[in-house]
Amino acid sequence: MQAVNGDTAEYALNNKLVDVLGSRAAADSELVKTFGLDKQNNDYRNVSIYDYTVTQPSHQQNGNIAVIMASGAIMDGEETPGNVGGDTTAEQIRDARLDAKIKAIILRVNSPGGSVTASEAIREELAAARAAGKPIVVSMGGMAASGGYWISTPADYIVANPSTLTGSIGIFGVINTLEKSLDTIGVHTDGVATSPLADVTSTKALPTEVQQLMQLTIENGYHNFVGLVAASRHKTAEQVDAIAQGHVWTGSDAKANGLVDALGDFDDAVKKAGELAKVAKPQLSWYQDEPTFFDMMLNQVNASARAVLPDALKVWLPAPMLDVMNAMKNQPGLFDHLNDPQNRYAFCLNCGEVR
């Protein structure tokens, strides 16, 4: 891992655990070559293992500019109410890329970030759409920080509000363990394993080797983030690093630092998308999956539980843990959706919830 600077994908390739490294769009292209193109569905020829009905994104069919929303914490998997699902958003971008009627894509970002893996899945699809000749314009809302900026890097043009919180270019790793909490009530665990890497459990402290691997992957992720920003903003890695390291900027300062192209609102983003796509009369096609009644009910139950549970537990928690909880109180989705497979997060811890 040290030899590949913490790049787990390159490590897997070098050790012949995988055959090729590539994006989801590249994988789709290979599948189309192998199985043929289903022109009706703009996909490779296949049958779902689950069922024969496909839920299409809910959007207007007559527009020429796609509007895709990224509002909330970015998580791996499907979208849930109030959060951005990496798979859901990537699929929406893919649909827009393959739709001949869509001439440009506007990504409306209002997010403090989240999972690095999910952010990269979204970024890859936007990059594929841009490579396919469809201009990408990012419209930043109240917040487009960390992972929210990560997914903005493929844009041809970025429009932010003067008060937008953006930047926060940096990542961190989180693996929750409970060994000290269990120790206070006299509960201990033990066991045997073939190697320190095989003995990772939430009831024990992380082995030194796992901590070293985490540090390598975090540093690799940060360098990748800086590299993406440098390439997209036509800067050197050193120039980006000077304004990165987790620093949060307002839209005005971000414009001065070259992180965004213009200050304005959503209408300005629409106008720019029309100009780049050479569309005389922009018509918006909104890509939005409507939450089901069950989704909304479950979200309300979870919100109620989160509101009650912390107060009930505070008397049992040590002071340092209380400090952490208070610092994270306004970070929606962070504790509830720590589902990055590599435990890496590009999340703005200083932004709070801005709408």
Side-chain angles (χ1 to χ4, degrees), residues 13-335:
L13 181 66
N14 292 346
N15 287 278
K16 303 187 185 303
L17 298 177
V18 300
D19 297 303
V20 178
L21 301 183
S23 65
R24 294 187 184 189
D28 281 347
S29 297
E30 289 300 317
L31 288 166
V32 169
K33 290 179 184 178
T34 303
F35 301 109
L37 176 65
D38 181 349
K39 294 183 179 180
Q40 182 177 355
N41 295 312
N42 273 328
D43 203 352
Y44 64 92
R45 297 176 61 83
N46 69 89
V47 177
S48 170
I49 194 174
Y50 300 106
D51 53 51
Y52 294 95
T53 60
V54 180
T55 302
Q56 298 294 337
S58 173
H59 61 275
Q60 302 171 10
Q61 297 294 327
N62 299 322
N64 50 30
I65 294 179
V67 179
I68 297 172
M69 310 294 291
S71 182
I74 302 172
M75 309 180 308
D76 282 278
E78 299 298 320
E79 179 180 297
T80 60
N83 295 289
V84 180
D87 290 346
T88 301
T89 305
E91 185 65 24
Q92 290 172 341
I93 297 168
R94 179 182 181 278
D95 288 340
R97 169 169 61 89
L98 297 175
D99 188 340
K101 298 187 296 295
I102 297 299
K103 305 303 180 184
I105 297 174
I106 297 175
L107 182 69
R108 175 67 174 179
V109 182
N110 189 21
S111 172
S115 163
V116 168
T117 301
S119 298
E120 177 61 10
I122 295 170
R123 188 204 66 81
E124 284 182 348
E125 282 298 337
L126 280 176
R130 181 175 177 176
K134 299 198 175 185
I136 309 295
V137 175
V138 166
S139 170
M140 292 182 170
M143 184 192 315
S146 279
Y149 194 83
W150 187 303
I151 64 177
S152 302
T153 54
D156 293 281
Y157 203 79
I158 299 177
V159 180
N161 293 322
S163 59
T164 297
L165 294 182
T166 188
S168 188
I169 299 167
I171 74 172
F172 60 89
V174 175
I175 298 180
N176 295 317
T177 61
L178 306 171
E179 74 281 359
K180 292 183 179 179
S181 299
L182 294 176
D183 185 58
T184 61
I185 58 175
V187 176
H188 311 280
T189 63
D190 204 348
V192 295
T194 55
S195 78
L197 299 180
D199 193 27
V200 180
T201 172
S202 62
T203 60
K204 296 180 181 179
L206 292 179
T208 302
E209 293 83 354
V210 174
Q211 295 181 41
Q212 292 173 343
L213 284 175
M214 277 291 295
Q215 186 64 42
L216 285 170
T217 57
I218 292 302
E219 291 175 0
N220 173 260
Y222 177 72
H223 291 311
N224 287 343
F225 198 170
V226 169
L228 290 172
V229 176
S232 67
R233 306 309 303 174
H234 308 293
K235 295 177 178 290
T236 66
E238 291 74 21
Q239 288 174 321
V240 174
D241 186 57
I243 57 175
Q245 303 182 38
H247 293 306
V248 180
W249 307 98
T250 63
S252 299
D253 290 334
K255 173 69 166 58
N257 285 316
L259 292 177
V260 305
D261 295 294
L263 300 179
D265 56 18
F266 182 76
D267 289 339
D268 295 311
V270 173
K271 181 180 179 181
K272 190 63 181 182
E275 291 176 1
L276 294 176
K278 296 180 172 60
V279 173
K281 294 182 178 180
Q283 293 180 315
L284 303 183
S285 182
W286 296 82
Y287 283 61
Q288 243 175 328
D289 287 337
E290 296 296 331
T292 65
F293 177 75
F294 179 76
D295 289 333
M296 290 187 289
M297 287 294 294
L298 187 60
N299 190 56
Q300 288 298 320
V301 171
N302 288 340
S304 298
R306 291 195 298 270
V308 174
L309 190 58
D311 290 335
L313 291 177
K314 281 183 178 179
V315 294
W316 299 97
L317 296 177
M321 188 174 294
L322 279 175
D323 293 338
V324 172
M325 286 189 65
N326 290 331
M328 303 293 191
K329 186 177 181 181
N330 292 322
Q331 306 305 321
L334 181 60
F335 282 138

